[in-house]
Amino acid sequence: MKKIFFTPGPSQLYPTVKKHIKNALSADIPSISHRGESFQKIYQNTQNNLRKLLKIPQTHKIFFLSSALEGMERIIENCVEKSSFHLINGAFSKKFFDIARLLGKKPVKVEVEQGEGFEFEKITIPKNTELICLTQNETSTGVWLPLPQVYKIKKKYPKTSIALDIVSSVPYTKVDFNFIDCAFFSVQKGFGLPAGLGVLIVSQALIEKSKKLVKKGISIGSYHSFLELSKKDEKFQTPETPNVLNIYLLGKVTQDLLRIGINKIRQETRQKAQFLYAFFDKHPLYKPFVKNPLFRSETVIVVKTGKETKKVIARLKDKGLIVGKGYGQFKEKHIRIANFPAHNLRDMKKIVKTLQQM
Ligand SMILES: *Cc1c(COP(=O)(O)O)cnc(C)c1O
């Protein structure tokens, strides 16, 4: 039976990926030199398409890394001398904090219960904060951070940089890079690609900051420091031998999304999310985990399925519908349903129909 992966990452491949992989193999993409002209063209094409799709201004650079966690580590190393500030409400926001701690910094956190959002009016950020680290979509619990709230923080603390994890909100999320100094994601979620590629979007101003750290004698890492990445970027290259195939595929899928139009994709995402939330809001047993609609994710829908979790997952699996288990402590209490561009309303309706028959 044909399977459809609603897991929040890796997830269902975007429908055109198979065709692009075949073409890439015919064109020997995995064998070409990463110092040659055809790679430089691929690199530029992917960057240009990402710029168009996500409206990334020229004030910001685009770098290729190996994963989103690598993005967190590079950002802390290159932008923080001592103290970062973190809003934590689940496993991924906590990871960002832990990485700062493990790198020997002095991160500060405000933590709320899993499934809760943040009351921004009540949050004060310590004076010495260099970087505010935020997770836009907490994939472990399905909590969304509304961007207008984030922009308000930036207006209140204009000199403090903001790093935004957009791993499971991109490309649906519409980031205004006037307020966001750096953002990062990996490609196995919303872009529907194989894992193994991370993308980091960072302002020139923040790259300048990393130079200041070097002058102070602080380590900003080695081959993937912002400075090494910038140097190679000028030649449309990466410091290491990168995931050439995935950089190529990201350029192709981004092109496909541009052809459809990002507004249409966003509208469809909203429609699919509303469809699922409407069903679960009315369901006698299975309820959305995030109570406040303001903080509900439209890209990862987390549902409390309690004692029936295993049964629900198995029944859906019988129909080829692979949904995610709950994360961590919620493994046997929740299901998670990804709502990315690769998922269509027809397949969401299959999930609902299967659950109605239980
Ligand atoms: C999946 C995920 C990550 C980690 O991504 P990797 O590609 O595994 O490094 C980080 N943050 C969020 C919000 C995620 O969903």
Side-chain angles (χ1 to χ4, degrees):
M1 192 197 304
K2 194 177 143 258
K3 286 184 187 145
I4 304 164
F5 286 84
F6 290 92
T7 40
S11 195
Q12 183 63 24
L13 289 184
Y14 193 70
T16 56
V17 169
K18 270 188 195 163
K19 176 188 80 187
H20 294 315
I21 290 179
K22 265 192 206 155
N23 291 343
L25 294 179
S26 308
D28 294 319
I29 302 291
S31 304
I32 64 167
S33 164
H34 59 295
R35 300 290 174 230
E37 200 181 323
S38 43
F39 174 73
Q40 290 171 313
K41 281 196 182 132
I42 291 170
Y43 183 103
Q44 280 176 280
N45 180 60
T46 303
Q47 279 192 340
N48 291 342
N49 289 349
L50 279 173
R51 254 187 217 292
K52 269 188 224 152
L53 188 76
L54 305 178
K55 300 261 184 316
I56 303 167
Q58 292 299 333
T59 48
H60 289 56
K61 293 218 175 218
I62 302 170
F63 296 139
F64 298 111
L65 307 174
S66 66
S67 69
L69 290 189
E70 194 200 346
M72 294 180 187
E73 180 162 293
R74 300 302 165 229
I75 290 165
I76 297 291
E77 276 179 327
N78 283 269
C79 312
V80 180
E81 182 183 348
K82 291 191 190 103
S83 83
S84 50
F85 177 83
H86 302 252
L87 292 185
I88 301 180
N89 61 351
F92 291 103
S93 41
K94 181 163 184 300
K95 198 81 176 177
F96 211 163
F97 174 84
D98 288 340
I99 284 176
R101 207 171 35 78
L102 288 167
L103 285 171
K105 313 295 179 185
K106 301 261 178 296
V108 174
K109 62 178 173 177
V110 165
E111 194 162 7
V112 298
E113 286 289 310
Q114 306 217 6
E116 300 286 324
F118 298 98
E119 291 184 66
F120 280 80
E121 306 74 40
K122 294 190 184 156
I123 293 171
T124 20
I125 291 165
K127 265 214 184 85
N128 59 351
T129 300
E130 295 158 78
L131 184 73
I132 302 168
C133 301
L134 304 171
T135 305
Q136 204 206 339
N137 193 60
E138 182 43 87
T139 317
S140 62
T141 52
V143 181
W144 182 261
L145 201 77
L147 285 175
Q149 305 275 23
V150 178
Y151 303 153
K152 262 190 215 162
I153 294 189
K154 184 66 181 178
K155 284 175 196 158
K156 199 168 157 193
Y157 304 91
K159 286 203 183 117
T160 311
S161 303
I162 293 187
L164 190 64
D165 173 337
I166 53 171
V167 179
S168 59
S169 57
V170 80
Y172 171 67
T173 185
K174 199 174 174 180
V175 175
D176 182 344
F177 285 96
N178 288 313
F179 299 103
I180 302 297
D181 303 273
C182 87
F184 60 96
F185 62 90
S186 42
V187 299
Q188 75 276 18
K189 301 194 181 179
F191 281 98
L193 286 168
L197 177 66
V199 175
L200 175 65
I201 301 156
V202 54
S203 73
Q204 291 282 4
L206 216 40
I207 296 173
E208 290 305 314
K209 164 106 196 228
S210 64
K211 286 184 191 161
K212 279 188 200 149
L213 294 188
V214 173
K215 277 203 186 121
K216 285 188 175 177
I218 292 158
S219 168
I220 58 165
S222 60
Y223 72 103
H224 266 182
S225 72
F226 287 2
L227 302 187
E228 291 298 313
L229 286 162
S230 293
K231 219 187 282 169
K232 280 291 191 282
D233 177 69
E234 280 169 25
K235 292 193 249 175
F236 312 117
Q237 291 178 6
T238 54
E240 83 291 23
T241 317
N243 190 336
V244 177
L245 177 62
N246 234 345
I247 294 174
Y248 168 88
L249 295 174
L250 179 59
K252 292 294 173 190
V253 166
T254 313
Q255 182 74 59
D256 296 332
L257 297 177
L258 280 165
R259 225 172 268 136
I260 296 168
I262 189 68
N263 289 336
K264 180 151 188 265
I265 289 160
R266 288 186 177 131
Q267 191 194 329
E268 284 170 358
T269 303
R270 229 168 278 134
Q271 188 190 11
K272 288 180 286 167
Q274 279 164 8
F275 172 74
L276 287 178
Y277 279 121
F279 172 72
F280 289 114
D281 270 331
K282 281 199 219 101
H283 199 282
L285 294 175
Y286 315 145
K287 295 284 181 197
F289 179 52
V290 180
K291 289 195 195 80
N292 186 342
L294 186 68
F295 299 123
R296 279 182 185 171
S297 169
E298 318 230 57
T299 55
V300 180
I301 287 95
V302 179
V303 184
K304 286 194 287 183
T305 37
K307 286 190 195 109
E308 297 204 9
T309 302
K310 268 193 185 151
K311 200 171 93 187
V312 167
I313 290 173
R315 195 65 64 87
L316 289 167
K317 194 176 168 203
D318 285 343
K319 304 266 184 211
L321 306 164
I322 315 297
V323 299
K325 288 184 186 129
Y327 195 96
Q329 67 180 104
F330 301 115
K331 203 170 191 164
E332 295 184 352
K333 293 179 182 156
H334 293 173
I335 59 165
R336 293 180 299 154
I337 305 170
N339 177 22
F340 298 146
H343 303 113
N344 60 44
L345 186 60
R346 197 179 60 238
D347 297 330
M348 296 291 183
K349 286 184 176 166
K350 281 187 201 156
I351 293 182
V352 163
K353 199 170 160 209
T354 306
L355 296 180
Q356 277 169 337
Q357 286 163 353
M358 280 188 69

